[in-house]
Amino acid sequence: MYTVAEENYIKSIYHLQRQQQNVSTNALSARLQTRPASVTDMLKKLEAKKLLTYEKYYGCRLTAAGSRLALNIIRRHRLWEYFLSEKLGFGWEEVHEIAEQLEHVQSTALTEKLDAFLGFPRFDPHGDPIPDGTGKMSQQWQLPLCEWPVDKPGLVSAVGSQDERLLEMLSQKKLHIGAVVVVVQQFAFDRSLEIRLEDGCLVHISEQLGKFIFIKKQ
Amino acid sequence: MYTVAEENYIKSIYHLQRQQQNVSTNALSARLQTRPASVTDMLKKLEAKKLLTYEKYYGCRLTAAGSRLALNIIRRHRLWEYFLSEKLGFGWEEVHEIAEQLEHVQSTALTEKLDAFLGFPRFDPHGDPIPDGTGKMSQQWQLPLCEWPVDKPGLVSAVGSQDERLLEMLSQKKLHIGAVVVVVQQFAFDRSLEIRLEDGCLVHISEQLGKFIFIKKQ
DNA sequence: GGAAAAATTTAGCCAAAACTAAAAAATAAT
DNA sequence: ATTATTTTTTAGTTTTGGCTAAATTTTTCC
Ligand SMILES: [Mn+2]
Ligand SMILES: [Mn+2]
Ligand SMILES: [Mn+2]
Ligand SMILES: [Mn+2]
């Protein structure tokens, strides 16, 4: 139905749309690692296919059909990530790359049977919600660690990046999804955080890192 | 490393090479459903990459590197077929199409972990052997049903085609891999066969169909 | 409000992998 | 041994999705 290139554009636009309401050519160009001129060409093509609206010089927005497609690709991506992590034993820093390929395998039956085989998981290994067949996904109320109140226990609910170095660092600090944490104090100087884990260990987290760790209520 | 198109050529050449020792442009063209002119172009490219030797007007043969690649693609294909059939519950007539896409996902780690997860299966759902990481695969001595002796019980060991209509027909006749069969008689008129299954059922098999069912000793 | 900077589009080009039509070589048939 | 047929290659296009360089539009700054 759609090419790999088209699917990657649609997925990127969907993700960017949550920050900017009109996705700019440059933002896409940066995310997809292609030159702006190539983005312009593709936007015209995707508009012709009615997956998005595009206004010259002012960026694009997904149509309803475009959003549906995006959610379907994200569904496939996150189901495969869950499979790779839970069934094949990959680390959470390895799954994203491989899922980038698997997400483009076209077969509705495959997606549905995989979902059932996995037990209809609601969140992927990074804590991101997995859309269901109709595009709905569970929301969870969460805050970045650096905004979480001191002394109030919380659960690590998601990470806000796929950066392998970040994920590996979190693994080392035992900050996996579901870990219980308490912010002990925030240092005024650099706004870094000291947190305590379930086993009593104290861990130091830079402000930069704290922005990527999401916490929800216990 | 290699494109989907290149991998499909290498795989087809490998399969054709078992019949003709020099694979002709037309044979490839027929199998890949592309025009001969396109095949010629690709053969030159694959020769430049040292995956095959190619002599103008006389066809091609895989090099050692080409055979290694082919066996690796076949390994991926058959492992995915096994996964789809055993874990996801697809019928054996559905798995080939989907595996045609999955086989092109590039990740050695994925192949190896999938193999381990599946318990290192030696045969795919159609009875074809799965090459190991080094390209070796178990051979099994087998004969087409139409050459199997009368009254001697045997096991269905493989099917010689991926044709969905054939596979569905075999399922209906309960002729799955591992089924025990006895040839009761061969009709002289059209050389069709009457066979008996474990449960005593008598099944009639045309000569044409019998060529695609392989039998081994119990 | 107009100049400078930044963002975006246009125009022209390229590589991969397909195609058609015509030429050339190999094979088969008289 | 020619001729006819089949197979294969060459030459020239097309589509997809990239690219660079130049032109254009928008935004920012004085
Ligand atoms: Mn991911
Ligand atoms: Mn994820
Ligand atoms: Mn197959
Ligand atoms: Mn098979």
PDB file of all heavy atoms in Angstrom, chain A residues 3 5 9 34-35 37-38 45 57-58, chain D residues 16-21 24-27:
ATOM      1  N   THR A   3       4.887   3.011   0.612  1.00  0.00           N
ATOM      2  CA  THR A   3       6.304   2.658   0.613  1.00  0.00           C
ATOM      3  C   THR A   3       6.904   2.905   1.996  1.00  0.00           C
ATOM      4  O   THR A   3       6.330   3.617   2.828  1.00  0.00           O
ATOM      5  CB  THR A   3       7.078   3.499  -0.415  1.00  0.00           C
ATOM      6  OG1 THR A   3       7.073   4.856   0.021  1.00  0.00           O
ATOM      7  CG2 THR A   3       6.443   3.416  -1.794  1.00  0.00           C
ATOM      8  N   ALA A   5       9.481   4.716   2.638  1.00  0.00           N
ATOM      9  CA  ALA A   5       9.764   6.157   2.757  1.00  0.00           C
ATOM     10  C   ALA A   5       8.508   6.913   3.184  1.00  0.00           C
ATOM     11  O   ALA A   5       8.548   7.738   4.105  1.00  0.00           O
ATOM     12  CB  ALA A   5      10.288   6.691   1.427  1.00  0.00           C
ATOM     13  N   TYR A   9       7.904   9.099   6.726  1.00  0.00           N
ATOM     14  CA  TYR A   9       7.481  10.497   6.780  1.00  0.00           C
ATOM     15  C   TYR A   9       6.249  10.647   7.663  1.00  0.00           C
ATOM     16  O   TYR A   9       6.192  11.504   8.541  1.00  0.00           O
ATOM     17  CB  TYR A   9       7.183  11.026   5.370  1.00  0.00           C
ATOM     18  CG  TYR A   9       8.375  11.626   4.666  1.00  0.00           C
ATOM     19  CD1 TYR A   9       9.234  10.826   3.912  1.00  0.00           C
ATOM     20  CD2 TYR A   9       8.654  12.993   4.737  1.00  0.00           C
ATOM     21  CE1 TYR A   9      10.334  11.372   3.255  1.00  0.00           C
ATOM     22  CE2 TYR A   9       9.755  13.541   4.083  1.00  0.00           C
ATOM     23  CZ  TYR A   9      10.590  12.732   3.340  1.00  0.00           C
ATOM     24  OH  TYR A   9      11.665  13.269   2.700  1.00  0.00           O
ATOM     25  N   THR A  34      17.318  14.100   5.973  1.00  0.00           N
ATOM     26  CA  THR A  34      17.306  14.330   4.521  1.00  0.00           C
ATOM     27  C   THR A  34      17.330  15.837   4.306  1.00  0.00           C
ATOM     28  O   THR A  34      17.037  16.602   5.218  1.00  0.00           O
ATOM     29  CB  THR A  34      16.045  13.760   3.851  1.00  0.00           C
ATOM     30  OG1 THR A  34      14.889  14.338   4.479  1.00  0.00           O
ATOM     31  CG2 THR A  34      15.944  12.253   3.960  1.00  0.00           C
ATOM     32  N   ARG A  35      17.653  16.282   3.109  1.00  0.00           N
ATOM     33  CA  ARG A  35      17.699  17.707   2.856  1.00  0.00           C
ATOM     34  C   ARG A  35      16.288  18.256   2.719  1.00  0.00           C
ATOM     35  O   ARG A  35      15.376  17.542   2.272  1.00  0.00           O
ATOM     36  CB  ARG A  35      18.482  18.032   1.578  1.00  0.00           C
ATOM     37  CG  ARG A  35      19.874  17.459   1.448  1.00  0.00           C
ATOM     38  CD  ARG A  35      20.576  17.136   2.718  1.00  0.00           C
ATOM     39  NE  ARG A  35      20.934  18.237   3.583  1.00  0.00           N
ATOM     40  CZ  ARG A  35      21.967  19.044   3.413  1.00  0.00           C
ATOM     41  NH1 ARG A  35      22.768  18.889   2.385  1.00  0.00           N
ATOM     42  NH2 ARG A  35      22.211  20.006   4.274  1.00  0.00           N
ATOM     43  N   ALA A  37      14.931  20.137   0.608  1.00  0.00           N
ATOM     44  CA  ALA A  37      14.363  20.070  -0.744  1.00  0.00           C
ATOM     45  C   ALA A  37      13.650  18.733  -0.969  1.00  0.00           C
ATOM     46  O   ALA A  37      12.588  18.676  -1.599  1.00  0.00           O
ATOM     47  CB  ALA A  37      15.452  20.278  -1.787  1.00  0.00           C
ATOM     48  N   SER A  38      14.230  17.653  -0.436  1.00  0.00           N
ATOM     49  CA  SER A  38      13.615  16.335  -0.597  1.00  0.00           C
ATOM     50  C   SER A  38      12.306  16.260   0.175  1.00  0.00           C
ATOM     51  O   SER A  38      11.335  15.652  -0.272  1.00  0.00           O
ATOM     52  CB  SER A  38      14.574  15.246  -0.089  1.00  0.00           C
ATOM     53  OG  SER A  38      15.854  15.428  -0.641  1.00  0.00           O
ATOM     54  N   LYS A  45       3.758  14.893  -2.552  1.00  0.00           N
ATOM     55  CA  LYS A  45       3.258  13.563  -2.912  1.00  0.00           C
ATOM     56  C   LYS A  45       2.243  13.060  -1.881  1.00  0.00           C
ATOM     57  O   LYS A  45       1.195  12.514  -2.230  1.00  0.00           O
ATOM     58  CB  LYS A  45       4.432  12.582  -3.008  1.00  0.00           C
ATOM     59  CG  LYS A  45       4.214  11.518  -4.044  1.00  0.00           C
ATOM     60  CD  LYS A  45       5.440  10.690  -4.323  1.00  0.00           C
ATOM     61  CE  LYS A  45       5.831   9.804  -3.157  1.00  0.00           C
ATOM     62  NZ  LYS A  45       6.958   8.891  -3.510  1.00  0.00           N
ATOM     63  N   TYR A  57       5.334  26.939   2.272  1.00  0.00           N
ATOM     64  CA  TYR A  57       6.053  27.799   3.212  1.00  0.00           C
ATOM     65  C   TYR A  57       5.520  27.729   4.640  1.00  0.00           C
ATOM     66  O   TYR A  57       6.077  28.319   5.543  1.00  0.00           O
ATOM     67  CB  TYR A  57       6.077  29.267   2.763  1.00  0.00           C
ATOM     68  CG  TYR A  57       6.883  29.493   1.521  1.00  0.00           C
ATOM     69  CD1 TYR A  57       6.275  29.657   0.275  1.00  0.00           C
ATOM     70  CD2 TYR A  57       8.277  29.497   1.571  1.00  0.00           C
ATOM     71  CE1 TYR A  57       7.023  29.840  -0.874  1.00  0.00           C
ATOM     72  CE2 TYR A  57       9.035  29.690   0.422  1.00  0.00           C
ATOM     73  CZ  TYR A  57       8.404  29.865  -0.787  1.00  0.00           C
ATOM     74  OH  TYR A  57       9.158  30.045  -1.927  1.00  0.00           O
ATOM     75  N   TYR A  58       4.404  27.028   4.869  1.00  0.00           N
ATOM     76  CA  TYR A  58       3.849  27.007   6.216  1.00  0.00           C
ATOM     77  C   TYR A  58       3.714  25.605   6.811  1.00  0.00           C
ATOM     78  O   TYR A  58       3.028  25.422   7.805  1.00  0.00           O
ATOM     79  CB  TYR A  58       2.505  27.742   6.248  1.00  0.00           C
ATOM     80  CG  TYR A  58       2.655  29.211   5.976  1.00  0.00           C
ATOM     81  CD1 TYR A  58       2.507  29.725   4.693  1.00  0.00           C
ATOM     82  CD2 TYR A  58       2.988  30.092   7.009  1.00  0.00           C
ATOM     83  CE1 TYR A  58       2.677  31.071   4.434  1.00  0.00           C
ATOM     84  CE2 TYR A  58       3.164  31.441   6.760  1.00  0.00           C
ATOM     85  CZ  TYR A  58       3.001  31.923   5.465  1.00  0.00           C
ATOM     86  OH  TYR A  58       3.191  33.272   5.229  1.00  0.00           O
TER      87      TYR A  58
ATOM     88  P    DT D  16       6.125   6.907  -8.692  1.00  0.00           P
ATOM     89  OP1  DT D  16       4.906   6.268  -8.200  1.00  0.00           O
ATOM     90  OP2  DT D  16       6.151   8.337  -9.086  1.00  0.00           O
ATOM     91  O5'  DT D  16       7.278   6.678  -7.609  1.00  0.00           O
ATOM     92  C5'  DT D  16       7.735   5.370  -7.344  1.00  0.00           C
ATOM     93  C4'  DT D  16       8.955   5.470  -6.460  1.00  0.00           C
ATOM     94  O4'  DT D  16      10.122   5.772  -7.264  1.00  0.00           O
ATOM     95  C3'  DT D  16       8.874   6.569  -5.399  1.00  0.00           C
ATOM     96  O3'  DT D  16       9.176   5.998  -4.142  1.00  0.00           O
ATOM     97  C2'  DT D  16       9.878   7.607  -5.854  1.00  0.00           C
ATOM     98  C1'  DT D  16      10.890   6.745  -6.607  1.00  0.00           C
ATOM     99  N1   DT D  16      11.698   7.437  -7.663  1.00  0.00           N
ATOM    100  C2   DT D  16      13.027   7.099  -7.810  1.00  0.00           C
ATOM    101  O2   DT D  16      13.573   6.274  -7.118  1.00  0.00           O
ATOM    102  N3   DT D  16      13.677   7.778  -8.798  1.00  0.00           N
ATOM    103  C4   DT D  16      13.158   8.732  -9.645  1.00  0.00           C
ATOM    104  O4   DT D  16      13.850   9.258 -10.496  1.00  0.00           O
ATOM    105  C5   DT D  16      11.754   9.034  -9.448  1.00  0.00           C
ATOM    106  C7   DT D  16      11.082  10.050 -10.308  1.00  0.00           C
ATOM    107  C6   DT D  16      11.099   8.383  -8.484  1.00  0.00           C
ATOM    108  P    DG D  17       8.953   6.798  -2.787  1.00  0.00           P
ATOM    109  OP1  DG D  17       8.635   5.846  -1.713  1.00  0.00           O
ATOM    110  OP2  DG D  17       8.033   7.904  -3.098  1.00  0.00           O
ATOM    111  O5'  DG D  17      10.396   7.386  -2.514  1.00  0.00           O
ATOM    112  C5'  DG D  17      11.491   6.500  -2.299  1.00  0.00           C
ATOM    113  C4'  DG D  17      12.766   7.324  -2.269  1.00  0.00           C
ATOM    114  O4'  DG D  17      13.071   7.816  -3.594  1.00  0.00           O
ATOM    115  C3'  DG D  17      12.665   8.577  -1.385  1.00  0.00           C
ATOM    116  O3'  DG D  17      13.832   8.700  -0.611  1.00  0.00           O
ATOM    117  C2'  DG D  17      12.565   9.703  -2.385  1.00  0.00           C
ATOM    118  C1'  DG D  17      13.450   9.158  -3.485  1.00  0.00           C
ATOM    119  N9   DG D  17      13.331   9.833  -4.771  1.00  0.00           N
ATOM    120  C8   DG D  17      12.229  10.461  -5.304  1.00  0.00           C
ATOM    121  N7   DG D  17      12.454  11.018  -6.466  1.00  0.00           N
ATOM    122  C5   DG D  17      13.785  10.731  -6.725  1.00  0.00           C
ATOM    123  C6   DG D  17      14.603  11.072  -7.830  1.00  0.00           C
ATOM    124  O6   DG D  17      14.296  11.709  -8.844  1.00  0.00           O
ATOM    125  N1   DG D  17      15.901  10.581  -7.696  1.00  0.00           N
ATOM    126  C2   DG D  17      16.350   9.855  -6.617  1.00  0.00           C
ATOM    127  N2   DG D  17      17.635   9.461  -6.655  1.00  0.00           N
ATOM    128  N3   DG D  17      15.604   9.527  -5.568  1.00  0.00           N
ATOM    129  C4   DG D  17      14.332   9.996  -5.695  1.00  0.00           C
ATOM    130  P    DG D  18      13.830   9.467   0.809  1.00  0.00           P
ATOM    131  OP1  DG D  18      13.613   8.461   1.832  1.00  0.00           O
ATOM    132  OP2  DG D  18      12.932  10.651   0.710  1.00  0.00           O
ATOM    133  O5'  DG D  18      15.338   9.952   0.943  1.00  0.00           O
ATOM    134  C5'  DG D  18      15.791  11.149   0.409  1.00  0.00           C
ATOM    135  C4'  DG D  18      16.962  10.928  -0.511  1.00  0.00           C
ATOM    136  O4'  DG D  18      16.485  10.593  -1.823  1.00  0.00           O
ATOM    137  C3'  DG D  18      17.815  12.174  -0.736  1.00  0.00           C
ATOM    138  O3'  DG D  18      18.746  12.291   0.307  1.00  0.00           O
ATOM    139  C2'  DG D  18      18.465  11.877  -2.067  1.00  0.00           C
ATOM    140  C1'  DG D  18      17.349  11.146  -2.806  1.00  0.00           C
ATOM    141  N9   DG D  18      16.549  12.021  -3.676  1.00  0.00           N
ATOM    142  C8   DG D  18      15.233  12.365  -3.509  1.00  0.00           C
ATOM    143  N7   DG D  18      14.769  13.131  -4.464  1.00  0.00           N
ATOM    144  C5   DG D  18      15.848  13.306  -5.304  1.00  0.00           C
ATOM    145  C6   DG D  18      15.958  14.038  -6.514  1.00  0.00           C
ATOM    146  O6   DG D  18      15.085  14.687  -7.108  1.00  0.00           O
ATOM    147  N1   DG D  18      17.245  13.958  -7.062  1.00  0.00           N
ATOM    148  C2   DG D  18      18.286  13.263  -6.507  1.00  0.00           C
ATOM    149  N2   DG D  18      19.439  13.305  -7.155  1.00  0.00           N
ATOM    150  N3   DG D  18      18.187  12.572  -5.380  1.00  0.00           N
ATOM    151  C4   DG D  18      16.947  12.633  -4.833  1.00  0.00           C
ATOM    152  P    DC D  19      19.110  13.700   0.914  1.00  0.00           P
ATOM    153  OP1  DC D  19      19.869  13.434   2.159  1.00  0.00           O
ATOM    154  OP2  DC D  19      17.880  14.499   0.957  1.00  0.00           O
ATOM    155  O5'  DC D  19      20.096  14.367  -0.173  1.00  0.00           O
ATOM    156  C5'  DC D  19      21.249  13.662  -0.614  1.00  0.00           C
ATOM    157  C4'  DC D  19      21.796  14.332  -1.869  1.00  0.00           C
ATOM    158  O4'  DC D  19      20.841  14.153  -2.934  1.00  0.00           O
ATOM    159  C3'  DC D  19      21.961  15.844  -1.766  1.00  0.00           C
ATOM    160  O3'  DC D  19      23.252  16.141  -1.254  1.00  0.00           O
ATOM    161  C2'  DC D  19      21.854  16.284  -3.211  1.00  0.00           C
ATOM    162  C1'  DC D  19      20.925  15.253  -3.838  1.00  0.00           C
ATOM    163  N1   DC D  19      19.543  15.731  -4.100  1.00  0.00           N
ATOM    164  C2   DC D  19      19.296  16.429  -5.294  1.00  0.00           C
ATOM    165  O2   DC D  19      20.246  16.636  -6.071  1.00  0.00           O
ATOM    166  N3   DC D  19      18.042  16.875  -5.558  1.00  0.00           N
ATOM    167  C4   DC D  19      17.054  16.631  -4.684  1.00  0.00           C
ATOM    168  N4   DC D  19      15.837  17.080  -4.996  1.00  0.00           N
ATOM    169  C5   DC D  19      17.285  15.929  -3.464  1.00  0.00           C
ATOM    170  C6   DC D  19      18.543  15.503  -3.208  1.00  0.00           C
ATOM    171  P    DT D  20      23.608  17.626  -0.805  1.00  0.00           P
ATOM    172  OP1  DT D  20      24.886  17.554  -0.073  1.00  0.00           O
ATOM    173  OP2  DT D  20      22.407  18.174  -0.142  1.00  0.00           O
ATOM    174  O5'  DT D  20      23.819  18.448  -2.154  1.00  0.00           O
ATOM    175  C5'  DT D  20      24.787  18.037  -3.126  1.00  0.00           C
ATOM    176  C4'  DT D  20      24.855  19.075  -4.235  1.00  0.00           C
ATOM    177  O4'  DT D  20      23.567  19.127  -4.912  1.00  0.00           O
ATOM    178  C3'  DT D  20      25.125  20.493  -3.743  1.00  0.00           C
ATOM    179  O3'  DT D  20      26.007  21.124  -4.658  1.00  0.00           O
ATOM    180  C2'  DT D  20      23.758  21.155  -3.732  1.00  0.00           C
ATOM    181  C1'  DT D  20      23.046  20.450  -4.878  1.00  0.00           C
ATOM    182  N1   DT D  20      21.571  20.322  -4.703  1.00  0.00           N
ATOM    183  C2   DT D  20      20.736  20.789  -5.686  1.00  0.00           C
ATOM    184  O2   DT D  20      21.132  21.316  -6.704  1.00  0.00           O
ATOM    185  N3   DT D  20      19.395  20.616  -5.428  1.00  0.00           N
ATOM    186  C4   DT D  20      18.836  20.019  -4.311  1.00  0.00           C
ATOM    187  O4   DT D  20      17.620  19.933  -4.199  1.00  0.00           O
ATOM    188  C5   DT D  20      19.777  19.555  -3.320  1.00  0.00           C
ATOM    189  C7   DT D  20      19.272  18.906  -2.076  1.00  0.00           C
ATOM    190  C6   DT D  20      21.079  19.726  -3.557  1.00  0.00           C
ATOM    191  P    DA D  21      26.674  22.557  -4.272  1.00  0.00           P
ATOM    192  OP1  DA D  21      28.075  22.485  -4.698  1.00  0.00           O
ATOM    193  OP2  DA D  21      26.328  22.879  -2.868  1.00  0.00           O
ATOM    194  O5'  DA D  21      25.880  23.581  -5.218  1.00  0.00           O
ATOM    195  C5'  DA D  21      25.470  23.147  -6.507  1.00  0.00           C
ATOM    196  C4'  DA D  21      24.661  24.249  -7.174  1.00  0.00           C
ATOM    197  O4'  DA D  21      23.249  24.017  -6.944  1.00  0.00           O
ATOM    198  C3'  DA D  21      24.921  25.659  -6.644  1.00  0.00           C
ATOM    199  O3'  DA D  21      24.779  26.568  -7.736  1.00  0.00           O
ATOM    200  C2'  DA D  21      23.842  25.852  -5.600  1.00  0.00           C
ATOM    201  C1'  DA D  21      22.676  25.117  -6.258  1.00  0.00           C
ATOM    202  N9   DA D  21      21.687  24.579  -5.325  1.00  0.00           N
ATOM    203  C8   DA D  21      21.900  24.052  -4.070  1.00  0.00           C
ATOM    204  N7   DA D  21      20.800  23.644  -3.475  1.00  0.00           N
ATOM    205  C5   DA D  21      19.803  23.921  -4.402  1.00  0.00           C
ATOM    206  C6   DA D  21      18.398  23.727  -4.379  1.00  0.00           C
ATOM    207  N6   DA D  21      17.762  23.188  -3.346  1.00  0.00           N
ATOM    208  N1   DA D  21      17.700  24.114  -5.447  1.00  0.00           N
ATOM    209  C2   DA D  21      18.359  24.660  -6.483  1.00  0.00           C
ATOM    210  N3   DA D  21      19.659  24.890  -6.639  1.00  0.00           N
ATOM    211  C4   DA D  21      20.332  24.501  -5.542  1.00  0.00           C
ATOM    212  P    DT D  24      13.279  34.198  -8.589  1.00  0.00           P
ATOM    213  OP1  DT D  24      12.399  34.225  -9.774  1.00  0.00           O
ATOM    214  OP2  DT D  24      14.204  35.316  -8.248  1.00  0.00           O
ATOM    215  O5'  DT D  24      12.372  33.940  -7.304  1.00  0.00           O
ATOM    216  C5'  DT D  24      11.658  32.713  -7.191  1.00  0.00           C
ATOM    217  C4'  DT D  24      11.167  32.573  -5.764  1.00  0.00           C
ATOM    218  O4'  DT D  24      12.272  32.273  -4.877  1.00  0.00           O
ATOM    219  C3'  DT D  24      10.512  33.832  -5.197  1.00  0.00           C
ATOM    220  O3'  DT D  24       9.211  33.475  -4.813  1.00  0.00           O
ATOM    221  C2'  DT D  24      11.387  34.199  -4.011  1.00  0.00           C
ATOM    222  C1'  DT D  24      11.995  32.867  -3.640  1.00  0.00           C
ATOM    223  N1   DT D  24      13.265  32.893  -2.868  1.00  0.00           N
ATOM    224  C2   DT D  24      13.294  32.229  -1.662  1.00  0.00           C
ATOM    225  O2   DT D  24      12.347  31.632  -1.195  1.00  0.00           O
ATOM    226  N3   DT D  24      14.515  32.280  -1.004  1.00  0.00           N
ATOM    227  C4   DT D  24      15.663  32.914  -1.443  1.00  0.00           C
ATOM    228  O4   DT D  24      16.684  32.888  -0.776  1.00  0.00           O
ATOM    229  C5   DT D  24      15.553  33.595  -2.718  1.00  0.00           C
ATOM    230  C7   DT D  24      16.725  34.316  -3.262  1.00  0.00           C
ATOM    231  C6   DT D  24      14.369  33.546  -3.362  1.00  0.00           C
ATOM    232  P    DT D  25       8.069  34.568  -4.552  1.00  0.00           P
ATOM    233  OP1  DT D  25       6.926  34.152  -5.386  1.00  0.00           O
ATOM    234  OP2  DT D  25       8.677  35.922  -4.667  1.00  0.00           O
ATOM    235  O5'  DT D  25       7.683  34.346  -3.019  1.00  0.00           O
ATOM    236  C5'  DT D  25       7.517  33.017  -2.526  1.00  0.00           C
ATOM    237  C4'  DT D  25       7.806  33.004  -1.037  1.00  0.00           C
ATOM    238  O4'  DT D  25       9.216  33.140  -0.805  1.00  0.00           O
ATOM    239  C3'  DT D  25       7.135  34.129  -0.245  1.00  0.00           C
ATOM    240  O3'  DT D  25       6.172  33.530   0.577  1.00  0.00           O
ATOM    241  C2'  DT D  25       8.286  34.797   0.503  1.00  0.00           C
ATOM    242  C1'  DT D  25       9.391  33.746   0.446  1.00  0.00           C
ATOM    243  N1   DT D  25      10.786  34.235   0.510  1.00  0.00           N
ATOM    244  C2   DT D  25      11.592  33.829   1.541  1.00  0.00           C
ATOM    245  O2   DT D  25      11.210  33.098   2.439  1.00  0.00           O
ATOM    246  N3   DT D  25      12.889  34.310   1.495  1.00  0.00           N
ATOM    247  C4   DT D  25      13.423  35.141   0.532  1.00  0.00           C
ATOM    248  O4   DT D  25      14.599  35.498   0.601  1.00  0.00           O
ATOM    249  C5   DT D  25      12.525  35.526  -0.521  1.00  0.00           C
ATOM    250  C7   DT D  25      13.019  36.421  -1.606  1.00  0.00           C
ATOM    251  C6   DT D  25      11.260  35.060  -0.486  1.00  0.00           C
ATOM    252  P    DT D  26       5.312  34.368   1.639  1.00  0.00           P
ATOM    253  OP1  DT D  26       4.054  33.626   1.831  1.00  0.00           O
ATOM    254  OP2  DT D  26       5.328  35.787   1.206  1.00  0.00           O
ATOM    255  O5'  DT D  26       6.168  34.234   2.968  1.00  0.00           O
ATOM    256  C5'  DT D  26       6.431  32.939   3.500  1.00  0.00           C
ATOM    257  C4'  DT D  26       7.323  33.063   4.721  1.00  0.00           C
ATOM    258  O4'  DT D  26       8.614  33.590   4.335  1.00  0.00           O
ATOM    259  C3'  DT D  26       6.793  33.987   5.811  1.00  0.00           C
ATOM    260  O3'  DT D  26       6.799  33.241   7.009  1.00  0.00           O
ATOM    261  C2'  DT D  26       7.764  35.157   5.815  1.00  0.00           C
ATOM    262  C1'  DT D  26       9.044  34.510   5.309  1.00  0.00           C
ATOM    263  N1   DT D  26      10.030  35.399   4.632  1.00  0.00           N
ATOM    264  C2   DT D  26      11.336  35.425   5.082  1.00  0.00           C
ATOM    265  O2   DT D  26      11.726  34.770   6.026  1.00  0.00           O
ATOM    266  N3   DT D  26      12.174  36.260   4.365  1.00  0.00           N
ATOM    267  C4   DT D  26      11.840  37.036   3.275  1.00  0.00           C
ATOM    268  O4   DT D  26      12.681  37.728   2.719  1.00  0.00           O
ATOM    269  C5   DT D  26      10.458  36.964   2.871  1.00  0.00           C
ATOM    270  C7   DT D  26      10.006  37.775   1.699  1.00  0.00           C
ATOM    271  C6   DT D  26       9.627  36.160   3.553  1.00  0.00           C
ATOM    272  P    DT D  27       6.286  33.820   8.386  1.00  0.00           P
ATOM    273  OP1  DT D  27       5.731  32.690   9.158  1.00  0.00           O
ATOM    274  OP2  DT D  27       5.467  35.021   8.076  1.00  0.00           O
ATOM    275  O5'  DT D  27       7.623  34.300   9.121  1.00  0.00           O
ATOM    276  C5'  DT D  27       8.676  33.366   9.288  1.00  0.00           C
ATOM    277  C4'  DT D  27       9.879  34.052   9.885  1.00  0.00           C
ATOM    278  O4'  DT D  27      10.520  34.899   8.902  1.00  0.00           O
ATOM    279  C3'  DT D  27       9.578  34.944  11.084  1.00  0.00           C
ATOM    280  O3'  DT D  27      10.439  34.527  12.123  1.00  0.00           O
ATOM    281  C2'  DT D  27       9.858  36.369  10.573  1.00  0.00           C
ATOM    282  C1'  DT D  27      10.922  36.100   9.511  1.00  0.00           C
ATOM    283  N1   DT D  27      11.056  37.103   8.412  1.00  0.00           N
ATOM    284  C2   DT D  27      12.299  37.609   8.114  1.00  0.00           C
ATOM    285  O2   DT D  27      13.312  37.302   8.706  1.00  0.00           O
ATOM    286  N3   DT D  27      12.327  38.500   7.064  1.00  0.00           N
ATOM    287  C4   DT D  27      11.246  38.919   6.301  1.00  0.00           C
ATOM    288  O4   DT D  27      11.400  39.717   5.383  1.00  0.00           O
ATOM    289  C5   DT D  27       9.973  38.359   6.674  1.00  0.00           C
ATOM    290  C7   DT D  27       8.744  38.749   5.921  1.00  0.00           C
ATOM    291  C6   DT D  27       9.932  37.479   7.702  1.00  0.00           C
TER     292       DT D  27
END
